[in-house]
Amino acid sequence: MACCVAVLIKENLIYLRRSAEELKFLFLIHASIDILDDKVNQLTKPTSDRDARDFYLGLLYPVEEYKIYGYVSSTRVKFILIFEHSTSISLKDPDIKLLFQRLHQAYIDCISNPFYEPNTQLKSKRFEQVVTSLMVQNDPLTSAIASSQASSVPSTSVIVPTAI
Amino acid sequence: MAWACAMPEELSIVPKGLVCLANLDTRHQPVHRSIWELLDKERPSAQLRYRLVDIDEQYPHSKAKRATYEWYVPKGILKTNWMHKHLHLVPSLIVIFFELDWNDPLFKDKQNELRSQIEMVRTSLDGRAAVISIVLLQNKNSFPTVDDVYSSERDQMANTLCNYFDIQKRSLCVLPVLPQPDNLSAWIDRLEQTFIESSQNYYTNEIRLVKKHKETLNNITHQLLHIRHQFKVGFFSELRQDIPSAVKSYRNAYSYLTESARIHDTNILEMKMVAGFLTYKICRISFELSQPVEAINHFRRHADIFKSKIGPTDLVFEHKAWLSKQFQTFADLFTLCPLAIQTQHPGFYYQEAAYQSMARKQISQACNRIEQADVDPSEFLKGTEFYGQRPWRQHHQSMEITDAQKEREAIAALRDAESRINHSELIISLLVQAITHFKKHSSNRMKLYLMYNLAEEYVSSKNYDIALNHYNHIVQAYRSENWWLILEAVLPAALKCAYLSVDLPDWIRFTLEILNPNINLSSQLKNQTQINFENFLLKHILPPVESTISSKDEQWKALPEKQAIPIDADTLKGLLECKVYFTHEAVSVDSEIILQVALKNGFPLPIEFSQLLLNFNLKEYNTLVHVTDIAKLKFLPGEQRILSFNFAPKSDHVQRLLEITSVSLIYGSVDRTHIDFQWRTSLQTTPSFQQTFLTPKWRTKAGHVLWENLPMRRKINIIMRAAEVQLTVEHQLPALLYESYPIKIKITNCENVDIHSATLTCTCSSSDDTAPTADDSLLSYSIADTNTETTAHACSRKLYTITKAAEIDQDLYVRCNNNRPREITIRFSYERLNLHCMKEIVIQLSVVNPFSIQFQTMGMMMEPLASLRAQEPFILMIDTRCTSIIPITIVNSSFKPSQFVISDCAIESQIDNSK
């Protein structure tokens, strides 16, 4: 369903997978940093009435063929998912939030590896598996399994580090 | 493509009720002119549009209204002249101005003349229901005042006049403005109110007439009429300034069109055009009412519905053109609305418009031109009676095409016209507009994406120089954010563009960018790029031309033989790196400076530089570090090398800072075209925590220095030659107040010669920063003159000769008159080999009180007394306490009572010689 998954630290891409070798995805991801930065700035404002642990930033900006969603961790690691316009109509915000939380958890598992050097490319089989599951699952059976898995995730994903 | 994506001008005009003014002679009569100017002037809230007409103006004929639509098949939705007709030609009100006073001697004649004019207008209206209104211009003196006795009589006259002219009574107005008007604008305002009323009545009536047809229509043959009538109602509502019902009607028409109407290949263009018109009207009104969300939602739905309605496959470009125009007009409307935010602003719509146009351009490249036309293609492009219909089969409403041959010819003609259009111009203007909006909403990264598209478009329209400007900007931006993946895609195109515009510096810059090890292009391509680069600079072989682009050999040959191309090597990030390192932080003027320059090569193939030059802030050193030995400057891929330089500092640069300002590495022969790689900013050490992380042991091979671990130091202090003497002091703290505190200075000559005319200088300075008071300490080399009350915080002495290896002693006495802490600086200096040598010692001195004295008065019974009484004896008890930490001997003490105190016995010191 997702056709592109990206993880960024600041503006540096540390993970990218796309369904097709299209340049367009890169431009879209790069452009969405503008919006992500802006939204993160609004998050940190004391006046914002958002839940501090709500890292889901929603739809980033309108593009004709795609929908771009953003999510940011408390250490400001940015996650981006891109869906094709046609497949994403059935998707609701809570569904996408769950996908992000799974991705976030996989990221945490991945960087917990003591051999992972910070701020470098993510190279982990487990992480790849999660990304693959985000990108292919489409039939109701697997997505039902996935969502049952996903529902168990939030309880653990709350324990994300809060230091910046 | 005028036939498919044109937005008629009439559509964008804000409709206002049309009022025709007859009989106003603005050229010769000043009063008439000022009336006209007042009515015609630009006002934001104007509700009417005025037009000057002659009295015999002909108005468009009114068709006989159909009583029943039963057998009627409509020919189309909207006639191309309909909007124009109702905006500019068919009046809602005709005003006839006429000079007539009630007491005019020729009243009867004039009355008849006016009546004939009214008749004339009525005839030329030909059945149209426009209201005729009469304005009598009268002498202001004859105008009735409030207590005018004749007012009822005039009323009577006006009534008769109305009957005579066959007009309603409120259509007769009187304007007392002759011969000279005063307060004309107030009169005109009142006059206009009556005009608005009449005009709105007319349009209400028109709306009623249109709506009356609705019952007689059916949903099968009269679909087009449903849409047409709703559109007309909307338009008339706008004319009568009833905006809410106008939106409602337009929305009705739109939903009928999209939900109920049959859309097929033969009428799709007509449907799309009318849908576009309706969307334009709805969105414009929504924006004007400050409801941008409504407008955006409607437009989104509109775009979603029609995006898939492509129409005939041979005319896909027509669909793309129409879509592009839709986005563009929406963006134009959005621009007028101030409520735009970063994620929702006109830039996005201009961007999409540009993309649709790009798609159209791609499709149209398949369109063939007609070289030899059997039929005149312009026949298929002429105007039509209804919007969006095909000129060769107007009014055709069935789904089948009757004349297939003609259809083929027509499509060929349309494709021919399409192939002659310059799309790039359109795309570029859309992209530029989009970029301005993204810039305005501080979305610099989104802007880059558009600039990339723009650069590509400029290349395709052969504007290489402008494209190159954009490429430069893009490449720089993506490089600074380390987005190598995008650069991989952009750089080959940029390099091609630089070749085509024969821009050597840019060609070299992009070549270097491609050779950067972070760029993951095929090694074959990278090697070829480096070979081209070497060939051009060293062997003067022109870069090879790809088969797809035209050769520019001639221009490349014409480039000047010799030019230096400076390259800012700080930006190369990994292709070529340089670190400079002074081994010491400071160097004394008699020793050598050791400087290491480390270079690391990231070129995919071995490379050989011709020169290395360093520039310093002190120009005298510039020539000292200069390598021309090619063997030292030959690098294998990934090789790093440290070059070491030793040189002596100049003696007159003592106490100066030597700083490396730039490193330049030259590629190519200096007397021909060569490249000058220059490092400046990257030499400044930026201690970021990322650079200093520990290197795991398994990564460091024995004897191999990791590039990251190489230190950087580009500044060195040149200091004085260190004196080869031993300078020591002996003293025992603390110093007591008023004491002549002895400090023993020992100087040992360690030079291998005698020292002549050396100077020993001692200075004292307060080290208490908080209370900078005048220093009151006294320094001297002997105790003899300690009694002098003057202070001297410096003393100096010449020592004539100190023989080799000899040691001399010198005492220094310090007397401190208060107990603030202070510093004594002892400096020994002399000249040796024309160099100034110096040694310095700083002593921290803390001064304490030697003892404290307290006393208490007591009565004879040793009881403490708070006050003394005259004539009463008392005892004075004195308590002397030693506060210094070293033992002191009190030599003597004395007591000096005042004259009012008589001591009982001779006072003797009881503490003489006590310790």
Side-chain angles (χ1 to χ4, degrees), chain B residues 112 216 233 266 371 392 400 418 513 539 623 663 685 867 869 903:
Chain B
N112 285 334
T216 58
V233 170
T266 48
E371 300 303 342
W392 63 91
E400 285 85 39
E418 174 70 10
E513 298 277 3
K539 300 174 194 155
T623 50
V663 175
T685 35
S867 55
R869 279 182 204 173
S903 67

mmCIF file of all heavy atoms in Angstrom, chain B residues 112 216 233 266 371 392 400 418 513 539 623 663 685 867 869 903:
data_model
loop_
_atom_site.group_PDB
_atom_site.id
_atom_site.type_symbol
_atom_site.label_atom_id
_atom_site.label_comp_id
_atom_site.label_asym_id
_atom_site.label_seq_id
_atom_site.Cartn_x
_atom_site.Cartn_y
_atom_site.Cartn_z
ATOM 1 N N ASN B 112 -43.533 66.979 -26.662
ATOM 2 C CA ASN B 112 -43.759 66.117 -27.827
ATOM 3 C C ASN B 112 -42.467 65.521 -28.341
ATOM 4 O O ASN B 112 -42.400 64.357 -28.733
ATOM 5 C CB ASN B 112 -44.448 66.922 -28.942
ATOM 6 C CG ASN B 112 -45.901 67.123 -28.603
ATOM 7 O OD1 ASN B 112 -46.483 66.323 -27.866
ATOM 8 N ND2 ASN B 112 -46.480 68.199 -29.101
ATOM 9 N N THR B 216 -41.689 22.814 -18.070
ATOM 10 C CA THR B 216 -41.947 22.226 -19.388
ATOM 11 C C THR B 216 -40.811 21.356 -19.885
ATOM 12 O O THR B 216 -40.910 20.735 -20.929
ATOM 13 C CB THR B 216 -42.196 23.347 -20.416
ATOM 14 O OG1 THR B 216 -41.032 24.170 -20.408
ATOM 15 C CG2 THR B 216 -43.408 24.164 -20.059
ATOM 16 N N VAL B 233 -29.896 31.782 -14.750
ATOM 17 C CA VAL B 233 -30.431 32.293 -13.489
ATOM 18 C C VAL B 233 -29.285 32.794 -12.616
ATOM 19 O O VAL B 233 -29.350 33.877 -12.026
ATOM 20 C CB VAL B 233 -31.241 31.195 -12.761
ATOM 21 C CG1 VAL B 233 -31.584 31.633 -11.351
ATOM 22 C CG2 VAL B 233 -32.500 30.866 -13.537
ATOM 23 N N THR B 266 -18.576 12.845 -28.080
ATOM 24 C CA THR B 266 -18.884 13.924 -29.012
ATOM 25 C C THR B 266 -19.184 15.243 -28.290
ATOM 26 O O THR B 266 -18.987 16.300 -28.856
ATOM 27 C CB THR B 266 -20.084 13.574 -29.909
ATOM 28 O OG1 THR B 266 -21.114 13.080 -29.065
ATOM 29 C CG2 THR B 266 -19.700 12.556 -30.946
ATOM 30 N N GLU B 371 1.638 18.668 -43.880
ATOM 31 C CA GLU B 371 2.489 19.425 -44.808
ATOM 32 C C GLU B 371 1.663 19.882 -45.998
ATOM 33 O O GLU B 371 1.655 21.051 -46.364
ATOM 34 C CB GLU B 371 3.654 18.551 -45.278
ATOM 35 C CG GLU B 371 4.558 18.065 -44.149
ATOM 36 C CD GLU B 371 5.153 19.205 -43.322
ATOM 37 O OE1 GLU B 371 5.152 20.364 -43.795
ATOM 38 O OE2 GLU B 371 5.607 18.931 -42.191
ATOM 39 N N TRP B 392 -16.812 21.830 -37.032
ATOM 40 C CA TRP B 392 -17.240 21.076 -38.228
ATOM 41 C C TRP B 392 -18.534 20.308 -38.013
ATOM 42 O O TRP B 392 -19.068 19.740 -38.933
ATOM 43 C CB TRP B 392 -16.122 20.132 -38.661
ATOM 44 C CG TRP B 392 -15.768 19.078 -37.643
ATOM 45 C CD1 TRP B 392 -16.322 17.856 -37.568
ATOM 46 C CD2 TRP B 392 -14.842 19.178 -36.585
ATOM 47 N NE1 TRP B 392 -15.801 17.174 -36.521
ATOM 48 C CE2 TRP B 392 -14.868 17.954 -35.887
ATOM 49 C CE3 TRP B 392 -13.979 20.186 -36.133
ATOM 50 C CZ2 TRP B 392 -14.071 17.700 -34.781
ATOM 51 C CZ3 TRP B 392 -13.198 19.913 -35.046
ATOM 52 C CH2 TRP B 392 -13.240 18.696 -34.378
ATOM 53 N N GLU B 400 -23.363 9.383 -32.034
ATOM 54 C CA GLU B 400 -22.639 8.833 -33.179
ATOM 55 C C GLU B 400 -22.075 9.959 -34.037
ATOM 56 O O GLU B 400 -22.631 11.050 -34.108
ATOM 57 C CB GLU B 400 -23.562 7.969 -34.056
ATOM 58 C CG GLU B 400 -23.874 6.625 -33.471
ATOM 59 C CD GLU B 400 -25.031 6.692 -32.504
ATOM 60 O OE1 GLU B 400 -25.983 7.428 -32.797
ATOM 61 O OE2 GLU B 400 -24.956 6.029 -31.442
ATOM 62 N N GLU B 418 -1.886 21.823 -32.762
ATOM 63 C CA GLU B 418 -1.228 21.559 -31.488
ATOM 64 C C GLU B 418 0.290 21.483 -31.652
ATOM 65 O O GLU B 418 1.044 22.006 -30.841
ATOM 66 C CB GLU B 418 -1.761 20.242 -30.907
ATOM 67 C CG GLU B 418 -1.058 19.774 -29.659
ATOM 68 C CD GLU B 418 -1.346 20.628 -28.444
ATOM 69 O OE1 GLU B 418 -2.244 21.476 -28.529
ATOM 70 O OE2 GLU B 418 -0.644 20.456 -27.441
ATOM 71 N N GLU B 513 31.643 17.549 -9.501
ATOM 72 C CA GLU B 513 30.535 17.061 -8.682
ATOM 73 C C GLU B 513 30.247 15.593 -9.002
ATOM 74 O O GLU B 513 30.000 14.787 -8.120
ATOM 75 C CB GLU B 513 29.260 17.868 -8.943
ATOM 76 C CG GLU B 513 29.362 19.332 -8.596
ATOM 77 C CD GLU B 513 29.139 19.628 -7.130
ATOM 78 O OE1 GLU B 513 28.949 18.666 -6.366
ATOM 79 O OE2 GLU B 513 29.189 20.802 -6.761
ATOM 80 N N LYS B 539 45.509 17.755 -22.355
ATOM 81 C CA LYS B 539 45.866 17.466 -23.748
ATOM 82 C C LYS B 539 45.080 18.301 -24.745
ATOM 83 O O LYS B 539 45.246 18.170 -25.944
ATOM 84 C CB LYS B 539 45.624 15.972 -24.026
ATOM 85 C CG LYS B 539 46.453 15.080 -23.123
ATOM 86 C CD LYS B 539 46.079 13.631 -23.313
ATOM 87 C CE LYS B 539 46.648 12.790 -22.170
ATOM 88 N NZ LYS B 539 45.863 11.568 -21.969
ATOM 89 N N THR B 623 55.663 32.457 -0.197
ATOM 90 C CA THR B 623 56.443 31.671 -1.156
ATOM 91 C C THR B 623 57.126 30.491 -0.507
ATOM 92 O O THR B 623 57.663 29.640 -1.189
ATOM 93 C CB THR B 623 57.514 32.572 -1.792
ATOM 94 O OG1 THR B 623 58.207 33.233 -0.721
ATOM 95 C CG2 THR B 623 56.888 33.592 -2.709
ATOM 96 N N VAL B 663 44.658 27.459 1.016
ATOM 97 C CA VAL B 663 45.542 26.480 0.394
ATOM 98 C C VAL B 663 45.091 26.395 -1.049
ATOM 99 O O VAL B 663 43.887 26.330 -1.311
ATOM 100 C CB VAL B 663 45.383 25.098 1.065
ATOM 101 C CG1 VAL B 663 46.209 24.064 0.335
ATOM 102 C CG2 VAL B 663 45.750 25.160 2.519
ATOM 103 N N THR B 685 38.958 24.892 11.979
ATOM 104 C CA THR B 685 38.541 23.687 12.691
ATOM 105 C C THR B 685 37.163 23.905 13.272
ATOM 106 O O THR B 685 36.922 24.875 13.978
ATOM 107 C CB THR B 685 39.523 23.362 13.816
ATOM 108 O OG1 THR B 685 39.964 24.592 14.343
ATOM 109 C CG2 THR B 685 40.680 22.550 13.316
ATOM 110 N N SER B 867 31.309 52.789 80.493
ATOM 111 C CA SER B 867 31.655 54.208 80.384
ATOM 112 C C SER B 867 32.551 54.584 81.571
ATOM 113 O O SER B 867 32.509 53.967 82.633
ATOM 114 C CB SER B 867 30.392 55.058 80.392
ATOM 115 O OG SER B 867 29.628 54.767 81.532
ATOM 116 N N ARG B 869 34.011 57.394 84.353
ATOM 117 C CA ARG B 869 33.572 58.595 85.060
ATOM 118 C C ARG B 869 34.769 59.444 85.411
ATOM 119 O O ARG B 869 35.851 58.931 85.682
ATOM 120 C CB ARG B 869 32.850 58.212 86.339
ATOM 121 C CG ARG B 869 31.428 57.845 85.997
ATOM 122 C CD ARG B 869 30.645 57.510 87.172
ATOM 123 N NE ARG B 869 29.593 56.658 86.658
ATOM 124 C CZ ARG B 869 28.739 56.016 87.378
ATOM 125 N NH1 ARG B 869 28.830 56.112 88.662
ATOM 126 N NH2 ARG B 869 27.807 55.295 86.857
ATOM 127 N N SER B 903 47.979 59.015 84.087
ATOM 128 C CA SER B 903 48.285 57.630 84.450
ATOM 129 C C SER B 903 48.852 57.563 85.867
ATOM 130 O O SER B 903 49.547 58.468 86.338
ATOM 131 C CB SER B 903 49.253 57.021 83.441
ATOM 132 O OG SER B 903 50.470 57.637 83.516
#
